[in-house]
Amino acid sequence: QVQLVESGGGLVQPGGSLRLSCAASESIFSINSMGWYRQAPGKQRELVATIRKGGYPNYADSVKGRFTISRDNAKNTVSLQMSSLKPEDTAVYYCNAAYWDYTNYVLNNDWGQGTQVTVSS
């Protein structure tokens, strides 16, 4: 199991920016997908962005053009640069690691504890 710790959340005004970081307890070099999900009050957790082992970012339509995901395999981190933030971006943001367990033939999904992002005037 990979331990994930998020940081960088906080309170920002609409139109502002935040950069979230996720530190993994071990190498993420071989982790197929690192990503960010978010959960707003009363809502289900939803995908924000993912990035595969060799790059290839994928974004939810709601954040395309505003958010940028990146991963640094050497530093075992994944980041989410958020710009032009909107009130609807308010949520707890969770770091995710998805990787294939070839021994048990299952897909592992590990999660961080989350970091709060609040976009409000």
Side-chain angles (χ1 to χ4, degrees):
Q1 189 173 94
V2 180
Q3 299 295 123
L4 303 169
V5 180
E6 303 96 335
S7 63
L11 174 65
V12 296
Q13 296 182 355
S17 299
L18 274 178
R19 185 178 180 88
L20 305 182
S21 294
C22 172
S25 61
E26 59 188 76
S27 176
I28 64 169
F29 183 80
S30 297
I31 294 179
N32 298 78
S33 180
M34 297 291 295
W36 290 93
Y37 291 68
R38 66 187 181 187
Q39 186 169 21
K43 304 291 184 179
Q44 288 189 304
R45 189 173 300 185
E46 65 177 359
L47 182 147
V48 176
T50 62
I51 184 166
R52 286 156 54 90
K53 176 182 176 181
Y56 310 101
N58 178 256
Y59 301 94
D61 289 340
S62 60
V63 306
K64 285 182 179 178
R66 300 188 298 119
F67 291 11
T68 301
I69 188 171
S70 61
R71 64 189 287 175
D72 189 333
N73 294 327
K75 296 181 178 180
N76 299 328
T77 59
V78 60
S79 298
L80 184 70
Q81 177 64 49
M82 305 184 294
S83 300
S84 301
L85 284 163
K86 305 174 181 179
E88 50 263 44
D89 294 318
T90 296
V92 177
Y93 284 70
Y94 297 90
C95 183
N96 167 259
Y99 51 99
W100 188 249
D101 183 341
Y102 290 97
T103 299
N104 297 307
Y105 204 67
V106 296
L107 183 68
N108 290 112
N109 260 300
D110 294 334
W111 301 89
Q113 296 185 57
T115 185
Q116 177 70 49
V117 172
T118 302
V119 185
S120 179
S121 298

